[in-house]
């Protein structure tokens, strides 16, 4: 369905702007009026990572007048495979600052607003209120639900995207005209069930495919042209090179945008709502978490331990803790890993950061390995504190 333009047009375009945007101006559906709306628009991109990179670059090139960038992270070398707004010289630099510099290089006529902060329940409403449209480039469920809730409560539309390995999704959530994210996903998945891109990987170019779709939808919303992805979920399979869309209906019983909403303000704790790790994992890890340095000490003293890496084989090939035996987390969840654990040794589990190993620890402890422990911070902590010569990822 077509929707009215989200913003009013600016008064005029300068001679320089007419030159720069001439290929837009000769498109009848965009024209002068559409380009003036883009000039007058204020768009916030949440995240300057995989999706945020192409989104920010094409929003800037398109002539969106004000671009907000919110990101608290710094550029890491592992980002460069897909986060094309950053370069080698930006490693160690704040992502928001690096992205802003690239945006200004692409289009100096764009006003850039930098938010060098994490998006929280304390600042999200204030930050969002200054923009017409939100482009969601986040990579975790807690922030996605917070972005959705804030957008619905403020009556603002946002363009959502998600990527994993070879698969991507995109949609437009605007409660005034269709469903919100909670209509599609009323509850977050159980902790540990959906691996992140950091755990499962992502094809770098997939970010460009989904990010460019997000920008396309943003332009349509801002200028009032075409048929936006409101009420539709676009699904992309890069391996099969197939696009398909699925209708998403507004849920009349949605707790946020339904007829009788029960969520009328932001939640106190979105991390708790999404469950970074399960209650069982948190309980198992309590008092049974050691540091990477403590593990190194146990190894140096020749203690009777059995070190288990619960990551995936491809991660193990990149970097591993010396002497660790690979048994992926899935084998703990289905029970097959238990027969591989020695009864006469102390079990020490680890993963990349500590979340998956905590989930595996809960299984191991329930099976009777009461003295088992896991390494907080996982391989990342080992590389940082024990052996910096090893590669990180």
């Amino acid at each position: 369905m077509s929707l009215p333009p989200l913003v009013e047009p600016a008064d005029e375009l300068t001679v320089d702007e007419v030159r720069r945007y001439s290929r837009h101006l000769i498109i009848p559906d965009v024209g002068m009026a559409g380009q003036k709306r883009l000039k007058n628009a204020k768009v916030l991109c949440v995240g300057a990572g995989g999706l945020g990179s192409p989104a920010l670059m094409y929003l800037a090139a398109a002539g969106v007048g004000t671009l907000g960038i919110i990101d608290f992270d710094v550029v890491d070398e592992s980002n460069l495979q897909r986060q094309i707004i950053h370069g080698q010289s930006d490693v160690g630099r704040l992502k928001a600052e690096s992205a802003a510099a690239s945006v200004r290089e692409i289009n100096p006529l764009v006003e850039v607003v930098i938010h060098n902060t994490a998006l929280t329940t304390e600042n999200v409403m204030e930050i969002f209120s200054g923009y017409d449209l939100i482009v969601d480039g986040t990579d975790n469920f807690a922030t996605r639900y917070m972005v959705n809730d804030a957008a619905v409560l403020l009556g603002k539309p946002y363009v959502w995207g998600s990527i994993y390995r070879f698969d991507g999704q995109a949609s437009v959530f605007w409660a005034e005209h269709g469903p919100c994210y909670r209509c599609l996903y009323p509850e977050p998945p159980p902790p540990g069930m959906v691996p992140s891109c950091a755990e499962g990987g992502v094809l770098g170019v997939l970010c460009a495919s989904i990010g460019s779709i997000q920008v396309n939808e943003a332009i349509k919303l801002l200028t009032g042209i075409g048929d936006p992805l409101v009420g539709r979920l676009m699904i992309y399979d890069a391996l099969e090179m197939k696009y398909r869309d699925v209708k998403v209906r507004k849920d009349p019983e949605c707790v946020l945008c339904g007829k009788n909403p029960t969520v009328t303000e932001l939640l106190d704790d979105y991390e708790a709502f999404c469950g970074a790790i399960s209650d069982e994992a948190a309980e198992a890890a309590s008092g049974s978490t050691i540091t990477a340095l403590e593990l190194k000490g146990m190894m140096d003293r020749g203690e009777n331990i059995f070190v288990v890496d619960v990551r995936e084989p491809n991660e193990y090939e990149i970097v591993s803790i010396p002497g660790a035996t690979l048994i992926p987390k899935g084998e703990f969840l289905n029970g097959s890993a238990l027969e591989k654990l020695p009864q006469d040794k102390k079990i020490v589990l680890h993963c990349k950061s500590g979340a998956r190993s905590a989930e595996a620890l809960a299984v191991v402890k329930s099976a009777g390995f009461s003295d088992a422990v896991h390494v907080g911070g996982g391989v990342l902590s080992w590389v940082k504190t024990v052996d910096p010569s090893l590669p990180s990822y």
Side-chain angles (χ1 to χ4, degrees), residues 35-54:
Q35 194 63 48
K36 287 178 181 179
R37 294 186 195 279
L38 292 176
K39 178 179 178 178
N40 211 28
K42 298 179 179 179
V43 176
L44 174 68
C45 193
V46 183
L51 292 175
S53 290

Side-chain angles (χ1 to χ4, degrees), residues 21-363:
Y21 309 126
S22 62
R23 297 304 186 272
H24 274 178
L25 300 179
I26 59 178
I27 301 174
D29 289 348
V30 180
M32 288 291 289
Q35 194 63 48
K36 287 178 181 179
R37 294 186 195 279
L38 292 176
K39 178 179 178 178
N40 211 28
K42 298 179 179 179
V43 176
L44 174 68
C45 193
V46 183
L51 292 175
S53 290
L56 284 164
M57 294 169 77
Y58 272 107
L59 287 167
V64 171
T66 301
L67 270 180
I69 306 171
I70 180 165
D71 200 309
F72 67 95
D73 203 0
V74 298
V75 180
D76 181 80
E77 194 168 16
S78 65
N79 302 148
L80 303 182
Q81 160 259 7
R82 64 201 177 283
Q83 299 180 19
I84 58 172
I85 203 166
H86 313 294
Q88 184 65 40
S89 63
D90 295 313
V91 172
R93 189 179 185 185
L94 286 167
K95 284 187 179 180
E97 299 282 355
S98 170
S102 295
V103 165
R104 294 188 182 106
E105 182 65 24
I106 291 169
N107 191 346
L109 303 179
V110 172
E111 179 184 353
V112 185
V113 181
I114 298 173
H115 304 276
N116 278 323
T117 183
L119 196 64
T120 68
T121 53
E122 286 75 29
N123 63 23
V124 62
M125 300 293 277
E126 179 182 359
I127 292 174
F128 278 19
S129 64
Y131 295 91
D132 303 303
L133 177 68
I134 314 300
V135 175
D136 182 10
T138 57
D139 61 356
N140 65 87
F141 288 101
T143 309
R144 286 172 184 166
Y145 278 96
M146 181 171 59
V147 167
N148 176 76
D149 293 0
V152 171
L153 293 172
L154 289 169
K156 295 183 182 291
Y158 78 99
V159 185
W160 169 80
S162 175
I163 51 176
Y164 178 68
R165 290 186 175 169
F166 299 98
D167 301 318
Q169 299 179 355
S171 189
V172 172
F173 296 111
W174 193 357
E176 184 177 334
H177 297 282
C180 77
Y181 183 74
R182 284 179 182 264
C183 295
L184 178 62
Y185 299 114
E187 298 288 341
M193 289 299 293
V194 180
S196 68
C197 290
E199 297 171 355
V202 60
L203 185 69
V205 73
L206 182 67
C207 302
S209 300
I210 302 303
S212 63
I213 288 172
Q214 289 182 279
V215 176
N216 187 59
E217 293 305 302
I219 291 173
K220 287 156 61 178
L221 290 168
L222 295 169
T223 59
I225 63 174
D227 184 10
L229 280 172
V230 175
R232 292 185 293 146
L233 175 67
M234 195 287 302
I235 301 172
Y236 173 52
D237 182 336
L239 279 183
E240 298 294 331
M241 199 57 219
K242 290 181 179 179
Y243 288 91
R244 63 188 179 95
D245 63 38
V246 177
K247 287 186 177 180
V248 180
R249 301 188 183 277
K250 190 178 184 70
D251 182 2
E253 305 302 320
C254 177
V255 297
L256 183 68
C257 73
K259 295 178 180 178
N260 299 294
T262 56
V263 177
T264 57
E265 58 184 15
L266 296 177
L267 304 183
D268 292 331
D269 190 340
Y270 282 89
E271 291 286 350
F273 171 67
C274 292
I277 60 173
S278 67
D279 292 340
E280 294 80 7
E283 181 179 353
S286 178
S288 297
T289 301
I290 64 172
T291 67
L293 286 173
E294 287 175 322
L295 172 58
K296 181 63 165 57
M298 295 167 74
M299 291 176 167
D300 291 344
R301 292 189 297 271
E303 293 188 19
N304 191 30
I305 59 176
F306 185 69
V307 182
V308 182
D309 187 332
V310 305
R311 297 174 301 155
E312 296 302 309
N314 56 323
E315 294 178 273
Y316 186 83
E317 290 180 6
I318 297 171
V319 59
S320 62
I321 294 177
T325 299
L326 177 66
I327 308 177
K329 186 189 75 172
E331 295 188 28
F332 287 90
L333 299 183
N334 66 28
S336 62
L338 298 176
E339 63 185 21
K340 301 178 182 180
L341 303 180
Q343 299 287 332
D344 58 343
K345 294 184 178 182
K346 183 184 184 73
I347 307 301
V348 181
L349 305 166
H350 78 81
C351 61
K352 180 179 181 179
S353 63
R356 283 176 282 176
S357 58
E359 299 288 346
L361 181 64
V363 175

Side-chain angles (χ1 to χ4, degrees), residues 346-387:
K346 183 184 184 73
I347 307 301
V348 181
L349 305 166
H350 78 81
C351 61
K352 180 179 181 179
S353 63
R356 283 176 282 176
S357 58
E359 299 288 346
L361 181 64
V363 175
V364 170
K365 280 184 168 292
S366 67
F369 295 86
S370 58
D371 64 343
V373 295
H374 87 123
V375 181
V379 168
L380 294 180
S381 179
W382 181 274
V383 172
K384 182 177 180 180
T385 63
V386 177
D387 191 355

